[in-house]
Amino acid sequence: MVTVEQSDNVAIITLNRPDFRNAIDTDTGIALWQAVQEFEENDAAAVAVVTGAGGHFCAGADLKALDKGIPWNPNFGHGPLGPTWHTPSKPVIAAVEGYAVAGGLELALWCDLRVAADSAVFGVFCRRWGVPLIDGGTVRLPRLIGESRAMDLILTGRAVDADEAYAIGLANRRCADGQALATALELARQIARHPQACMLSDRTCVQQAAGKPFAEAMRTEGELGWQYLQSRGFADGVSQFVKGAGRHGEGS
């Protein structure tokens, strides 16, 4: 259902139901939530990559299981699909090949960044069957691409290919088919090379300031930034700068 492996300081979480385009049933959702919890508790993993087996990312909730009367508990974790109502404490990247649609789109939106292969297709396909977005789609999609573009996708349920996804900011990186995981791992390692406490502080600021009035958002940045400036991490960073670290675009 869900496999977890570690590559250096990156956790790779793979949805492994290829016969169902990695649609998430109750057992898979529970396993995904457990994998996210383990990642957050794992000090050796700075970033996680979520991907899918068999050429697709995720087709959303397993509606066929529901139609067969198989019990499905929408609150078994922190969201109907597992972790989607929960904000992870460390960055997560989606490596998308094939379909990332309906709840699968919402799972990709839950991640901090998205890598899209040529075959990637995003969309609110659940619109076609009268199934609502309930894993953060109506909240995260407008924040990522703007209300107008988000409303287009939410109202029409149309397919968005990788080129359009990249053009509108839904995808952060593009790559050839079969390279989404490798590209995501390269991106994850780049992120993991930075001083983590400072990067995570700025990440938290972005999350907490989203949707706030400008003045309130600036106060949030000031409070979190000032808190970090008092830390040993900032002092160490200044010392590393003086010694020449980070020049010519090199990581720490």
Side-chain angles (χ1 to χ4, degrees):
M1 295 176 293
V2 175
T3 62
V4 181
E5 58 183 305
Q6 188 151 334
S7 176
D8 299 325
N9 49 3
V10 180
I12 303 171
I13 301 172
T14 304
L15 298 173
N16 195 14
R17 298 186 78 214
D19 292 343
F20 301 90
R21 291 178 176 171
N22 300 314
I24 296 175
D25 60 4
T26 296
D27 290 341
T28 306
I30 292 171
L32 179 58
W33 168 237
Q34 291 172 340
V36 170
Q37 287 181 299
E38 290 170 5
F39 159 63
E40 297 207 64
E41 294 167 0
N42 181 3
D43 292 336
V47 183
V49 172
V50 177
T51 191
H56 291 286
F57 180 72
C58 176
D62 187 349
L63 300 183
K64 290 183 179 179
L66 289 177
D67 187 56
K68 293 177 181 177
I70 299 174
W72 181 65
N73 181 356
N75 293 307
F76 52 69
H78 280 260
L81 294 185
T84 48
W85 293 351
H86 166 74
T87 300
S89 60
K90 296 180 284 188
V92 182
I93 301 170
V96 180
E97 309 255 1
Y99 284 124
V101 297
L105 169 63
E106 294 182 284
L107 181 60
L109 297 174
W110 171 78
C111 300
D112 293 83
L113 301 172
R114 284 146 297 281
V115 173
D118 289 339
S119 63
V121 177
F122 302 86
V124 186
F125 283 16
C126 51
R127 180 60 56 244
R128 306 172 184 180
W129 304 289
V131 176
L133 295 171
I134 196 173
D135 284 275
T138 65
V139 178
R140 295 188 178 103
L141 189 59
R143 290 186 179 188
L144 286 175
I145 66 174
E147 184 175 324
S148 179
R149 287 192 174 105
M151 197 66 80
D152 175 7
L153 304 190
I154 291 169
L155 295 183
T156 66
R158 68 181 179 84
V160 175
D161 64 19
D163 287 336
E164 182 180 0
Y166 183 70
I168 65 178
L170 179 54
N172 302 94
R173 299 288 190 277
R174 284 279 284 106
C175 64
D177 283 344
Q179 295 301 307
L181 179 56
T183 303
L185 286 172
E186 180 181 356
L187 180 58
R189 291 177 181 127
Q190 176 186 351
I191 293 170
R193 284 196 297 268
H194 295 306
Q196 292 297 290
C198 181
M199 183 269 292
L200 291 174
S201 176
D202 284 348
R203 175 178 178 266
T204 298
C205 184
V206 171
Q207 293 168 336
Q208 292 188 6
K212 292 182 178 178
F214 182 79
E216 186 178 351
M218 289 296 290
R219 283 195 298 272
T220 298
E221 181 187 273
E223 290 169 0
L224 291 174
W226 184 253
Q227 180 179 343
Y228 180 75
L229 287 175
Q230 311 308 306
S231 73
R232 182 66 201 175
F234 174 69
D236 289 343
V238 171
S239 177
Q240 290 298 312
F241 171 80
V242 171
K243 294 176 182 177
R247 293 179 182 175
H248 310 297
E250 296 177 357
S252 57

